Amino acid sequence: MKRAVFLDRDGTITKSDGYFSSYEKIELLGNLSGAIKLLNRDFLVIIITNQPVVARGMCTEEDVRKTHGKIIKDLEKQGARIDGVYFCPHHPEHHDDVPEHARKYRVQCKCRKPETELIEQAVEDFGIDVRNSFFIGDSTRDIKTAKNAGCTSILVRTGLAGNDKKYDVEPDYTCNDILEASKLVNELINVRAVLLAGGKGERLRPLTLNTPKPLLEIAGKSILEHQMDALKRSGINKIVLCASYLSDKIKDRFGDGSRFSVSIEYPEEPEMLGSGGAVKNAKAFLDDASYLIIINGDSMVDGKFDFRELVKFHVNASAFATLLVRETDHPLDSDVLRIDENGRILEFIGRGQEECKIANSGMTVCSPKLLDCIPDGNCNIEKDVLFKLIEKKDLYGFKMPNSWFKRDIGTLERLESVRKYFD
Ligand SMILES: [Mg+2]
Ligand SMILES: [Zn+2]
């Protein structure tokens, strides 16, 4: 399935928002072709626009099509490709001064944004994975459309810049213009997952004598496969698997990942390096990623897990690294943290304290630059690397929604309780 970037037209690819009845009245943004070229490699680029100029009687549907044909040609000359344009010619209100020929367009339709019929049509025509697609627009109407359709929304500060205030919605991201938005989109899909599957699982013996911990099964699937399913749902299919103990068993099971619709690479681990050392050892596979998500191989996650939310928090906080944290009702035996109202982590407290109810959950999103902070040799990614960022005020915590399930299965007792939960 292909991904798409849906673009609003007026105010997003044009200098202003308004009623443009002909091509001559339109002024495209100066950096538009550059922005679209950035998207052309990995995405379909599809314009979704309301054109009530037709319902106002200012021009015909055919005129709108001609305008779009010229916009497409213009961009083509500059090496940028628009894959499709869908527009709504309607308007729901009746007015006495509407010319006779336009009256048939005065209807309540299903294609006028924020309705999603135009997107649905494009999804059908091109076979688009809408959940992992993006919508870039300048109005709250566009953001509402994105939410209704289930794609990621980016508000641009050109055109109306969200000041129409028609809908009470928050965009997922905000950018200055379409060029900045296109760069962001490319970053957001360049996420690599680092699965730490090297542990010996000593507390799970005898189950782990011949089976590495991440291959233990819950509800008919290994824990690693549950993790891969959740990653795929979030559009992340590039995985670096750090295996050490019984690593051949893991490689035999997953291979290059193609059977699971992901791509998996395995750094060679000459010795047990601990979680920090394993990540540093994988550097050659991670340098060109925009973001890394580091996941412990003994974390069971369910299908509701949405890594896009975690990345969104991280990007919008401009954080260096962000831990997944959760509210706990048993703080005494959880690694609790003190956190401020913006999600910045102020202090790592550890166990045995009841006042703080925010606990570390053992999953991190970060910049690949974090690798430069990891000391050589065997070390722990949390204690020796991440928690050291707290002093520099560079570590944030994203509070996991209650609907997500995540639990580590490090002991026989925990494994049993997680298995029961999924039974
Ligand atoms: Mg607009
Ligand atoms: Zn319509």
Side-chain angles (χ1 to χ4, degrees):
M1 286 236 275
K2 295 169 202 152
R3 299 178 184 211
V5 175
F6 300 109
L7 302 176
D8 164 54
R9 197 189 89 180
D10 300 330
T12 300
I13 69 166
T14 67
K15 278 206 173 145
S16 56
D17 189 287
Y19 293 101
F20 305 121
S21 54
S22 69
Y23 171 74
E24 285 65 36
K25 297 202 165 112
I26 284 175
E27 201 179 345
L28 296 176
L29 281 172
N31 52 15
L32 180 61
S33 65
I36 289 173
K37 276 192 261 186
L38 284 180
L39 300 174
N40 281 148
R41 200 187 56 184
D42 292 306
F43 295 95
L44 294 162
V45 179
I46 294 169
I47 294 173
I48 303 283
T49 175
N50 288 352
Q51 290 302 324
V53 276
V54 179
R56 286 184 155 221
M58 292 163 68
C59 65
T60 66
E61 282 191 71
E62 195 42 41
D63 294 332
V64 175
R65 275 189 207 99
K66 273 187 196 148
T67 297
H68 291 156
K70 285 178 181 164
I71 292 175
I72 291 173
K73 272 242 162 64
D74 256 8
L75 289 166
E76 220 170 59
K77 275 185 216 146
Q78 300 168 66
R81 188 192 76 235
I82 298 286
D83 296 284
V85 184
Y86 296 80
F87 70 94
C88 162
H90 310 110
H91 195 280
E93 289 163 22
H94 289 279
H95 295 288
D96 290 340
D97 58 348
V98 173
E100 186 66 38
H101 68 274
R103 287 195 183 169
K104 64 173 176 177
Y105 294 106
R106 294 282 168 169
V107 292
Q108 191 84 43
C109 66
K110 287 274 178 226
C111 53
R112 182 174 159 82
K113 294 181 285 186
E115 297 286 337
T116 55
E117 204 176 77
L118 296 179
I119 291 184
E120 282 153 30
Q121 190 59 54
V123 163
E124 197 184 312
D125 292 347
F126 290 93
I128 293 167
D129 172 7
V130 70
R131 188 183 145 84
N132 286 303
S133 293
F134 295 81
F135 198 114
I136 303 175
D138 70 313
S139 68
T140 60
R141 185 186 291 279
D142 295 315
I143 304 310
K144 180 79 176 162
T145 310
K147 292 200 190 295
N148 286 346
C151 41
T152 299
S153 59
I154 304 177
L155 179 75
V156 283
R157 291 200 187 92
T158 51
L160 296 171
N163 292 322
D164 57 309
K165 304 243 162 60
K166 282 217 171 72
Y167 297 90
D168 185 19
V169 282
E170 278 293 316
D172 293 315
Y173 298 94
T174 303
C175 290
N176 282 324
D177 59 17
I178 188 168
L179 182 61
E180 203 182 288
S182 300
K183 287 177 183 164
L184 173 67
V185 162
N186 276 337
E187 278 179 20
L188 292 175
I189 61 158
N190 189 19
V191 177
R192 212 136 315 162
V194 187
L195 306 187
L196 298 171
K200 281 189 178 151
E202 283 166 350
R203 289 176 299 167
L204 281 164
R205 282 185 186 164
L207 299 180
T208 46
L209 284 173
N210 296 306
T211 307
K213 188 162 58 168
L215 288 190
L216 293 177
E217 292 199 352
I218 290 166
K221 269 187 204 174
S222 69
I223 291 159
L224 274 181
E225 215 179 319
H226 284 289
Q227 294 180 348
M228 286 177 199
D229 284 349
L231 287 165
K232 272 189 289 185
R233 259 178 64 78
S234 308
I236 299 166
N237 52 21
K238 287 186 187 160
I239 293 170
V240 175
L241 222 165
C242 302
S244 170
Y245 176 68
L246 299 176
S247 60
D248 286 345
K249 293 212 164 167
I250 293 178
K251 288 178 193 166
D252 284 349
R253 174 79 65 90
F254 292 102
D256 64 0
S258 49
R259 228 160 38 83
F260 300 85
S261 310
V262 292
S263 128
I264 305 178
E265 296 178 293
Y266 303 88
E268 274 305 315
E269 254 181 72
E271 56 194 303
M272 296 287 278
L273 291 168
S275 52
V279 175
K280 193 181 176 87
N281 182 58
K283 187 174 165 59
F285 299 90
L286 305 175
D287 264 351
D288 62 338
S290 302
Y291 303 103
L292 309 180
I293 294 180
I294 304 171
I295 303 172
N296 284 328
D298 66 354
S299 291
M300 175 62 192
V301 299
D302 73 349
K304 296 202 193 74
F305 231 81
D306 191 345
F307 292 96
R308 299 173 308 168
E309 289 295 317
L310 178 62
V311 172
K312 177 169 112 184
F313 175 91
H314 175 76
V315 173
N316 285 331
S318 304
F320 185 60
T322 301
L323 297 181
L324 182 73
V325 299
R326 67 191 154 81
E327 225 164 296
T328 175
D329 47 15
H330 49 93
L332 282 175
D333 60 353
S334 305
D335 279 332
V336 295
L337 305 145
R338 208 154 57 78
I339 194 166
D340 76 8
E341 69 277 9
N342 300 316
R344 182 177 281 164
I345 294 174
L346 304 171
E347 192 186 357
F348 174 73
I349 293 167
R351 279 157 206 246
Q353 211 261 48
E354 231 168 331
E355 278 152 55
C356 296
K357 298 212 162 34
I358 298 295
N360 177 26
S361 201
M363 189 182 293
T364 310
V365 54
C366 64
S367 153
K369 292 195 185 90
L370 183 83
L371 272 64
D372 301 329
C373 308
I374 304 177
D376 287 329
N378 191 315
C379 68
N380 181 283
I381 189 76
E382 292 180 335
K383 192 165 58 70
D384 300 318
V385 185
L386 290 167
F387 295 158
K388 297 229 157 112
L389 296 172
I390 296 174
E391 245 172 72
K392 295 188 202 152
K393 300 189 166 68
D394 255 347
L395 187 65
Y396 281 72
F398 168 70
K399 217 186 281 176
M400 184 173 104
N402 289 331
S403 56
W404 299 7
F405 181 92
K406 178 185 181 299
R407 203 167 298 165
D408 78 87
I409 49 93
T411 65
L412 286 166
E413 201 185 356
R414 284 190 201 154
L415 175 64
E416 217 31 65
S417 90
V418 173
R419 277 181 172 161
K420 268 205 193 108
Y421 177 90
F422 282 93
D423 254 354

